[in-house]
Structures are given as structure tokens and as C-alpha cells.
Amino acid sequence: MPWGCSVSDQAPQSAGHAALSPATLAHMLRYATDWLGVYREQVNALNVYPVPDGDTGTNMHLTMQSVRRELDTCDENSMPGVARAISYGALLGARGNSGVILSQLLKGFAETIKDVRDIDPATLTRAFQAAQKTGYGAVMKPVEGTILTVARGVAEGAARARETDPARTDTAEAVLEQALFRGQELLDQTPEMLPALKQAGVIDSGGQGYLYLVQGMLAALRGEALPPAPEITSYAQEQFENEEFGYCTEFLMSHATTSIEEIRELVTPFGDSLLVVGAEGYVKGHIHTNQPDELLATVGRHGRMLKTKVEDMSEQHTEILGMAGASARAEEEIQPSGLVAVANGYGLVKLFRSLGARIVSGGQTANPSVQDIVDAVRSVSAERVVILPNNKNVLMAAEKAMELMEGRAVVIPTRTLGQGIGAALNFSADVPAADLVDAMTDAARAVTTFEVTRASRTTNITVKDGRTLDIAEGDVIGLIDDELTQSGGTPEQSVLEMLNRHYAGQEIVTVFSGPQKTQEDLDALSASIRAAFPMVEVEAHAGGPDLYDYLVTLE
């Protein structure tokens, strides 16, 4: 099958690594992340199950990038440290159905190796077997023909080789070779296991992604160079309609007051493709639903919501179809200007997309890398691209990305999401970027942004007007244009207090509620604002940024 890995029928004997040190394993996983990155779009193009949203490769790659970030800061001479970085990084960075399952495969792998000094072939085999077991155990209704099947094949390949001919599997390379061979056999069988795959004429995307990771680990040991990215000529998603449940909804929560099993029961009625997993006090959830607001508000009552992601799968499907036709676009159709915006919170993401932006996921405490921004710029078919960082901590990365693009990008220095909205409202793809900069910059400066969140530590701070605020960890705090100005009370009181102090005749107040707020909370706050400021137009939307109770813009 043309999509598969290239693995020889008879694995050659190797005089390679009899055992893997923690530093060697860390190197292998970093390299495997880059190897998967080469094939990311190819894996996306295969994605038709559980829904044809075309992001399996991206989600698996983002999950591995989170693992790599943890590996970069751990003690590479300590196997427990490397094992924790693998498990912890995968859980915190898990994206999408495929990423969450991958995080559980990696968790099982890490649990097996954490107490050894070096990984010999027998331990490596046990690690792949534990990965398979943990992966299957994380899914309420395991389905064959998916990444789970391929994980089983990888485990079987490693084990069978040692059982039938131990002399040929006395190195890590040999174990990986045999694991890949059996994994490929089962990957090639996935269309016979899942009707959706057979209909599209493809193998399973998650299983392919998992094999690319194992292949990358082997390539690292062999010292092989990264291959060129394959050309994508078609997308399997073109054959499918939109899914019954419209929103791919994810959450990461800490300080949970309810068990994982109880949280799983809470969210089960909301939809399908359900995964709820956890470790080290964190709970990670993924579900396809038509009620993302209600689901997140329900879960948010049982812990501290750290991250959320809600993707409109119909919009994703439309984007994929657009990508599928990209190769057929004539050069003269390239627009003068494109837009890239850094944002999170599905309401804000939807707004920026409606204004023509390609989204880079990120924001407060989740800053995207320079490469993330560069990749987004390169994906936009425009002569020049405007970048909106929308956070002061992202500004430097955006400017570095602009330098790397060598004149193909320009940065509007938006420091808040509110400023980003103001700038985006003045964007036009038909106008050259050079002619947009002044108007977009002026529009950004004209927007005042209120942010209501919670204090991460106890402190006292003297604010601009000379007041000293005594703040305890967990207190509500209010910021105006990223400057602390208020503390205490409820989130709703914080919004109203900032309006009373700083309203300056603006015409429109727009309120975005965060994931822990219900529609009733948002409606009540909007009514209070209208009562106190009858002269303004109030707009209210769910889907505000992670870690915020409310984001409010005045313009």
C-alpha cells in the first residue's frame, strides 16, 4: 500500500545498541517527533475515522512536541526523569482523539522503563506491550482497525521476534525492525476492519502516525537523515459529509475534586468519541459534542480548568476540502494579503476565522513557537501575511517569524486579544499588506481590553493609580490592557467595577465568557452591563480564552 512505512521482510542483523541509555531514548523520541513532522500532512490526508476532520497528523505531532519540550528540561541521565517527561509531556500536550490515545500509549511505555537504568531489548519489548495494554484500557469501546490495532502489532512484532529467534533480537534496532514489520502487517489490514477506511481506500491515519514514530526511533539509532516531505495530491476527507456531532471539544483540568470515572460518566451523555484520562493530578478529556459550552461548564465545576479547545468540525472539513483543491489554484488567484492570528477559546477562534485569519493555537501560558507561526504563514496563499500575536509574550516569537519569512510577513504588535480583534476587523485580503498596517495598528490601539482571571500566587501589588492590592492565591483579578487594576469579589463584580472606573464613552462592549462560565452566567452579566450602561451596545459570546472567566472589549 503506497501510504505505508518501508520495512524489509527480513530485518537485517545489527551490531547496534544492546541497551538504550536515558539520553539515547530522549534523542530517539526527539528525532521521531521530527520524523513524524515530515509526514504530518500525509497522515492528515488519510484521516477519515472516527471523523474525517483531517487533523490526526497535526494532533499527534503537537502531542510529541509537548513531549520534546519536557525532554528538553529533564535530567537526561536519569531514566525516571526521562520517563516522567514522556508521560507528563504527552498528557499535557495531548491533542485530539489520536493525541490522547497516543499519550496513553506513551504512558504505558514510560511506566515500564521508569525504574531501569538502561533499556535492554527485553525491556523495550515489555514497554511496547505495556503501551498497547494502556492504550486499549483508556478507550471505553476499543475499535479494531485503528491506532490501537497497530500498537498491538508493534507489541506482537517485538515479542514474537524474541520468542522465535532471540539471537536475532539482541539489539534495540532488531526489536524495532520486527515491531515495525508486524505493525505494518496489521496497518495494511485496517481497511478490512473499518468500513470507513475501505470506503475511502486508505489505511488508518493514527496507526500510520504511530508507525512513523517507531520508524523515527529506529532512524535515530541508524543515523538516517530526515526524508523529504511527500507531495500530497488528494485528501480522503473529500468523500465524506460532516459528522453528527459538530464540535471536537477538549479540556485539561487540575485539582480535580471528582474521580476520572465520575467525570467520564458526567460527560458521556454529551456525545461520542469520548476519552477521559489522567495522571499526577491532571484530567484530560476529549469528546465530540453539539453542546461544548454546557459540557465545559459541567466539567469546570469539578476542578480548575487549565486548557480547552473547541473545533468546529464542519469548518475543519471545509478547510480540508480547500486544501485538497489548493494544488489546482492558479497563481493569479493568490490574494495580496493574508492574516495569521494567535488565539485560543473557540468563540474567539471562530471570530478570527470569520475575519479571514489562519489560527495559531496559543495565548497566555501556552505560547506558540517561532516555527508554529512560520508554518502558519507559509500555509497562507497570499503575497504578504499580517501576523497578530495578541499577547505580549508572543510578540517576540512573531517578530522572529517575520524575520525568517524575509519580507513575506509583517507584524501588528497586538498585546491583547481585544487589540487583535480590532486589528482583524480592519483586515482586507484584497488590499496589499503595506497599505493595511497603519489602519490595523490604529484600530488595535483604539480597543480597550478587560481580562478577568484568577491569581496564581499570593502577593501585594501597587497599581498605576497608587492603590495597593492585597491578593491571595485564587482571588479574582482584573486587568486592563494587560495591566493589573482590580482584585477580589466575583468575576462579574470585577467586570462591572472596571467598567465603572474606566468606561470612556465607547459604543460597543463585547463579552466573551470562559470555559468555566455557563450561558446563564453570561446572560446575567450582559443584563447587568445593559442596566448600568444603557447607552452602549452589548454583545455576548461563549468560547472565551482558557484560564479567563471573562474577556471584555470596549470599542
Side-chain angles (χ1 to χ4, degrees):
M1 185 166 290
W3 295 99
C5 298
S6 175
V7 183
S8 64
D9 185 48
Q10 295 295 324
Q13 293 193 32
S14 172
H17 297 74
L20 305 174
S21 70
T24 299
L25 177 63
H27 165 68
M28 290 166 64
L29 289 172
R30 286 195 190 93
Y31 200 73
T33 301
D34 292 336
W35 193 275
L36 176 61
V38 169
Y39 294 102
R40 177 182 59 189
E41 199 55 43
Q42 184 192 62
V43 175
N44 283 342
L46 291 169
N47 176 206
V48 297
Y49 184 87
V51 291
D53 47 7
D55 61 1
T56 290
T58 297
N59 286 337
M60 295 182 76
H61 189 234
L62 288 170
T63 302
M64 289 304 301
Q65 285 180 321
S66 179
V67 172
R68 181 164 57 189
R69 284 193 292 270
E70 292 298 322
L71 289 171
D72 288 344
T73 59
C74 78
D75 179 3
E76 288 194 0
N77 295 313
S78 161
M79 193 66 80
V82 170
R84 182 185 183 276
I86 295 168
S87 179
Y88 182 74
L91 178 67
L92 265 61
R95 290 280 295 268
N97 191 71
S98 54
V100 175
I101 294 176
L102 176 60
S103 78
Q104 297 308 288
L105 296 172
L106 292 171
K107 177 183 177 182
F109 188 99
E111 283 291 317
T112 304
I113 66 168
K114 68 179 182 181
D115 295 323
V116 302
R117 181 175 179 179
D118 295 299
I119 303 172
D120 61 20
T123 303
L124 183 59
T125 297
R126 290 197 303 273
F128 281 126
Q129 290 172 324
Q132 169 212 338
K133 183 177 180 181
T134 307
Y136 272 90
V139 180
M140 292 182 66
K141 297 178 181 178
V143 175
E144 295 299 338
T146 66
I147 186 175
L148 296 174
T149 302
V150 177
R152 174 164 58 83
V154 167
E156 288 176 359
R160 281 185 189 176
R162 292 190 54 75
E163 290 168 0
T164 57
D165 191 358
R168 294 188 67 238
T169 53
D170 58 354
T171 66
E173 289 94 324
V175 171
L176 291 169
E177 287 164 357
Q178 295 299 322
L180 279 167
F181 177 68
R182 178 58 178 159
Q184 184 69 52
E185 282 188 328
L186 289 192
L187 178 63
D188 289 342
Q189 295 171 25
T190 56
E192 302 305 318
M193 302 178 191
L194 271 179
L197 301 179
K198 192 165 189 176
Q199 176 186 342
V202 295
I203 52 180
D204 180 65
S205 58
Q208 178 66 91
Y210 187 58
L211 276 197
Y212 278 139
L213 288 172
V214 180
Q215 194 181 51
M217 293 172 70
L218 179 58
L221 288 182
R222 289 175 169 172
E224 296 177 5
L226 290 174
E231 182 181 356
I232 310 303
T233 58
S234 64
Y235 287 78
Q237 297 83 14
E238 293 177 87
Q239 303 179 43
F240 295 86
E241 299 297 330
N242 292 331
E243 179 70 5
E244 173 187 358
F245 295 105
Y247 296 93
C248 177
T249 304
E250 299 177 28
F251 61 86
L252 176 67
M253 186 167 64
S254 67
H255 300 86
T257 59
T258 306
S259 70
I260 289 175
E261 291 74 20
E262 290 174 296
I263 293 173
R264 189 178 290 127
E265 289 180 8
L266 282 172
V267 301
T268 296
F270 283 93
D272 66 6
S273 296
L274 171 67
L275 287 165
V276 178
V277 298
E280 300 194 23
Y282 293 91
V283 177
K284 181 82 177 187
H286 170 280
I287 188 171
H288 294 167
T289 180
N290 286 326
Q291 302 166 283
D293 303 341
E294 188 177 343
L295 183 148
L296 292 174
T298 298
V299 174
R301 300 186 188 107
H302 299 276
R304 185 186 178 204
M305 198 69 80
L306 298 179
K307 293 181 182 178
T308 64
K309 182 175 79 73
V310 179
E311 287 283 357
D312 184 329
M313 290 189 288
S314 64
E315 289 188 7
Q316 282 186 313
H317 193 70
T318 299
E319 284 186 5
I320 288 293
L321 297 183
M323 292 169 65
S327 59
R329 292 183 196 131
E331 188 171 319
E332 58 267 21
E333 291 182 20
I334 294 177
Q335 296 173 308
S337 295
L339 185 64
V340 165
V342 179
N344 70 51
Y346 74 92
L348 288 159
V349 166
K350 185 174 183 178
L351 173 59
F352 278 112
R353 278 182 172 157
S354 73
L355 297 172
R358 180 65 53 87
I359 301 299
V360 176
S361 179
Q364 193 67 22
T365 75
N367 299 334
S369 67
V370 172
Q371 189 63 52
D372 292 335
I373 299 172
V374 167
D375 288 346
V377 171
R378 286 175 174 161
S379 73
V380 176
S381 296
E383 294 174 5
R384 202 172 186 200
V385 177
V386 179
I387 304 171
L388 302 177
N390 298 339
N391 186 291
K392 66 178 182 182
N393 296 322
V394 182
L395 182 56
M396 187 176 295
E399 290 174 339
K400 183 62 178 177
M402 177 180 68
E403 292 175 15
L404 293 174
M405 293 311 298
E406 298 180 338
R408 198 179 158 232
V410 60
V411 173
I412 306 294
T414 51
R415 294 176 176 269
T416 68
L417 283 160
Q419 289 183 348
I421 293 169
L425 286 167
N426 285 266
F427 170 77
S428 174
D430 298 327
V431 177
D435 297 335
L436 293 171
V437 170
D438 288 344
M440 292 181 72
T441 301
D442 290 345
R445 290 172 179 165
V447 177
T448 300
T449 307
F450 294 172
E451 298 162 319
V452 178
T453 184
R454 308 296 173 113
S456 60
R457 59 188 175 88
T458 299
T459 186
N460 60 74
I461 295 177
T462 301
V463 296
K464 264 186 174 181
D465 61 9
R467 291 175 295 129
T468 298
L469 304 179
D470 294 316
I471 302 170
E473 181 180 350
D475 278 358
V476 171
I477 55 174
L479 300 92
I480 297 181
D481 292 333
D482 212 33
E483 294 276 349
L484 183 66
T485 189
Q486 183 273 339
S487 67
T490 67
E492 292 75 19
Q493 289 169 339
S494 177
V495 172
L496 292 168
E497 180 177 332
M498 288 190 288
L499 279 169
N500 283 322
R501 283 179 176 271
H502 300 282
Y503 174 73
Q506 292 92 340
E507 298 176 352
I508 303 173
V509 174
T510 305
V511 183
F512 290 91
S513 60
Q516 60 272 31
K517 288 296 176 181
T518 65
Q519 186 64 45
E520 290 76 15
D521 294 331
L522 179 59
D523 292 342
L525 176 58
S526 301
S528 296
I529 295 172
R530 290 187 183 97
F533 298 89
M535 71 294 292
V536 303
E537 179 184 343
V538 180
E539 298 182 2
H541 306 278
D546 301 337
L547 304 181
Y548 290 79
D549 292 277
Y550 295 105
L551 176 90
V552 181
T553 65
L554 284 68
E555 53 188 307

